[in-house]
Amino acid sequence: MKLRRNFAILAITFVLLAGFHSVAQQPAASLQGVVEEAGSANPVSKATVTLNRAGATSAEVTRTDSDGRFYLPNIAPGQYRIVVSHAGHVKAQYGQLHPGSEGTILVLTAGQRVDNIRIEMTRGGVISGHITDNGRPAGLSDAVVFRAVYTEGQLSFDPVLANRSDDTGEYHLFWLPPGRYYLAAVIWETASAVGWITNAEGTDNSFFTQRQTSRSVFMRTTAGGVSETSAHIPVFYPGSPDPQLATVIDVQPGAELRGMDIEAGPLPTRHVKGTVVGVPASIPGQPPVRVNVNMRSLMGTFTTNAAQSPNANTEPNGTFEITKVVPGRYVLNASAGNLSGRTVVEIRDRDLTNISVSLLPGFTVSGRVIVERTGATGPEPAIANLRVGLRTDPLIPGSTNYSGIVQSDGSFTIPATAPNAAAPTAGPIPGDYRVLVNPILTPPTPAGSSVPALPPQLQSLYVKSIRMGDVDLLNENLHLTAQPSAPILIVIGTNPGSVRGKAVPGSTAVLIHDNALRYRVNEKTSIADATGNFVFENVPPGNYKAFAWEIVERGAWGDPSFMRSQEERGVPVHIDEGKSAIIDSKLN
């Protein structure tokens, strides 16, 4: 009996091991294909082909031969993306509709052999020319190309590629992906000043990277020098410091745009004078309190004098003077300890005097968050993941953001004071603010970045309303002039809707707010599948317009000028709580 039992156990073990062995020894898949230049049958040799498996940290890599062909054997079954890179061409993905778009996921099964992969690569473009300073060559200057980026409807710039000019002032920018760009030149006060470095894919996070050199010949002024009343500032092609007057350059695949010359000589600067009111009294025996005053451009740092940052310290009586300020719109900030103040100034063709800035400790803003959930009686667990914030409106680059953690009872206070803090945290000063509820109501994600995924417990939550008394703070800003007497009430909805529709397969479908939230939040996006179907899940109730484009730059729907030209093709959509809306007409 015992012998039979042992034999049975051995038999079962053998069967299980045989099963495991058969799983482990699944036949490998393989794939082969060819890489060619778009618009021709010319092979791209020595291109790097990378096979990225979903969820894996490593990848299969090979290179194309002289005929542009590649072969990847012994591939484990799974989902993959194929990415190809090659000097002089734009990085490409298998199945992408146009350069820069996302490719198709390739599903490989056990033993499958795929031998018809074809990937097209687009040749990069060239921009070259000369940079001059009052007609003289400006060596070691920077030429930079940017993409236009709209943040909440405001124009800013995303650097794509940069290079320095030689001793004759000539610059050469190459391997540019096709697209629409702005071109600017920067002449530095000294040749060793901060230079811009980025790459043709626009993914270099160290854009403001300092180039160091100890050669004294490079430490001199690169051009003719600058007076006390002028400064070198970025100049956009064909020759204006104002990006609104710049020419947009359309770079086609393989285009060679020569002779793009830029005169970037020094431009007149102005003085800004004023007084800071409310400077703290000096402590006996200590030096007088001096308040730091600085200016930040409302158009972003690149459009100001990139070689200097306008700032100064006050005199003992609170007066200040900032020199060499480039014309433009600024926010002037003053700060001392937990006191701060600001005012918006505009510099044109004359000096500014009698500017007054008051230092204040800031206000305290409080309120409560309520989560609407059917049948809920106890504490709401999702509240612990929320944070209420205030941010300047319109956005002021470099400004302070204020926030408060939502407590278990739904209450919050802004600013949140750290426990055992020696001094209270500075609160929001007079001005206009947006009320945000992180992470479910946030400003749009910068172009080129992925929208952060919400935790599962928050994916069906949305901000239904924000009010302070009779003021609608979801669609309007919070105007602070004094300590608010009313709390902010935030209602969180938990019953979103959805939208389904059809478009050309592979198109980018976007659901855009048709109210005051347009340009101010991340819009819902979806890629139409092989049958043209797309879906938007967890959509807050409200009015929208649906759009679809076969080819569109990522985030282009955040550009008001682009949307004005596209408005007629949008399909109105109304979403009710918990309902699914169907778009009857095919988009595109």
Side-chain angles (χ1 to χ4, degrees), residues 545-577:
K545 273 191 174 182
F547 297 82
W549 297 275
E550 290 186 69
I551 298 177
V552 66
E553 289 188 11
R554 192 188 324 184
W557 45 90
D559 177 354
S561 61
F562 172 77
M563 289 307 301
R564 280 194 291 271
S565 68
Q566 302 292 307
E567 203 68 42
E568 293 300 320
R569 64 187 294 171
V571 176
V573 182
H574 177 76
I575 311 295
D576 290 315
E577 287 191 359

Side-chain angles (χ1 to χ4, degrees), residues 212-544:
Q212 299 286 351
T213 178
S214 59
R215 294 178 61 187
S216 59
V217 67
F218 287 157
M219 296 300 290
R220 60 179 173 79
T221 308
T222 59
V226 180
S227 70
E228 290 299 316
T229 59
S230 63
H232 286 115
I233 67 174
V235 175
F236 289 84
Y237 179 83
S240 172
D242 185 352
Q244 304 287 356
L245 301 178
T247 297
V248 179
I249 302 171
D250 188 8
V251 177
Q252 296 294 322
E256 295 188 8
L257 305 177
R258 312 287 184 177
M260 310 290 280
D261 300 337
I262 305 176
E263 166 58 42
L267 296 174
T269 59
R270 305 300 172 191
H271 288 217
V272 176
K273 301 178 182 179
T275 304
V276 176
V277 179
V279 177
S282 301
I283 300 174
Q286 298 293 324
V289 175
R290 294 179 181 268
V291 180
N292 176 260
V293 181
N294 64 76
M295 300 176 66
R296 294 183 180 272
S297 171
L298 290 176
M299 284 295 294
T301 54
F302 184 80
T303 56
T304 66
N305 186 348
Q308 55 93 37
S309 178
N311 68 90
N313 290 323
T314 61
E315 297 298 326
N317 62 357
T319 60
F320 64 87
E321 179 178 3
I322 301 177
T323 61
K324 300 189 74 170
V325 180
V326 175
R329 293 188 71 238
Y330 299 83
V331 57
L332 189 148
N333 300 289
S335 60
N338 69 333
L339 303 177
S340 59
R342 67 168 176 261
T343 186
V344 175
V345 297
E346 186 165 359
I347 315 297
R348 291 190 177 274
D349 57 353
R350 64 189 65 187
D351 296 342
L352 283 186
T353 59
N354 300 322
I355 301 297
S356 179
V357 184
S358 297
L359 291 179
L360 295 168
F363 306 129
T364 299
V365 179
S366 61
R368 183 172 299 278
V369 174
I370 298 174
V371 178
E372 286 188 344
R373 203 181 291 275
T374 304
T377 56
E380 172 54 58
I383 280 182
N385 299 286
L386 302 180
R387 193 179 188 97
V388 179
L390 300 181
R391 204 211 58 194
T392 55
D393 188 28
L395 173 64
I396 297 175
S399 60
T400 301
N401 294 328
Y402 307 93
S403 63
I405 299 173
V406 180
Q407 304 301 316
S408 59
D409 63 352
S411 64
F412 63 87
T413 301
I414 303 174
T417 302
N420 304 318
T425 305
I429 59 178
D432 291 334
Y433 297 88
R434 278 194 66 196
V435 180
L436 305 171
V437 184
N438 191 53
I440 62 174
L441 181 66
T442 61
T445 303
S449 301
S450 299
V451 178
L454 288 174
Q457 65 271 27
L458 299 181
Q459 290 180 3
S460 63
L461 301 189
Y462 57 91
V463 177
K464 189 173 183 177
S465 67
I466 307 176
R467 305 196 71 84
M468 177 182 279
D470 295 330
V471 181
D472 175 7
L473 298 182
L474 179 59
N475 296 292
E476 302 175 27
N477 59 37
L478 172 62
H479 183 62
L480 284 179
T481 57
Q483 175 63 43
S485 57
I488 294 176
L489 178 62
I490 301 175
V491 179
I492 306 295
T494 59
N495 196 19
S498 63
V499 180
R500 299 179 184 277
K502 292 186 75 71
V504 174
S507 297
T508 300
V510 186
L511 190 65
I512 298 176
H513 283 83
D514 200 17
N515 54 29
L517 289 179
R518 180 181 289 198
Y519 308 127
R520 300 170 71 83
V521 296
N522 285 315
E523 305 289 11
K524 297 281 188 178
T525 62
S526 179
I527 302 297
D529 63 19
T531 62
N533 292 307
F534 64 84
V535 61
F536 303 109
E537 300 285 4
N538 296 316
V539 181
N543 294 320
Y544 298 84

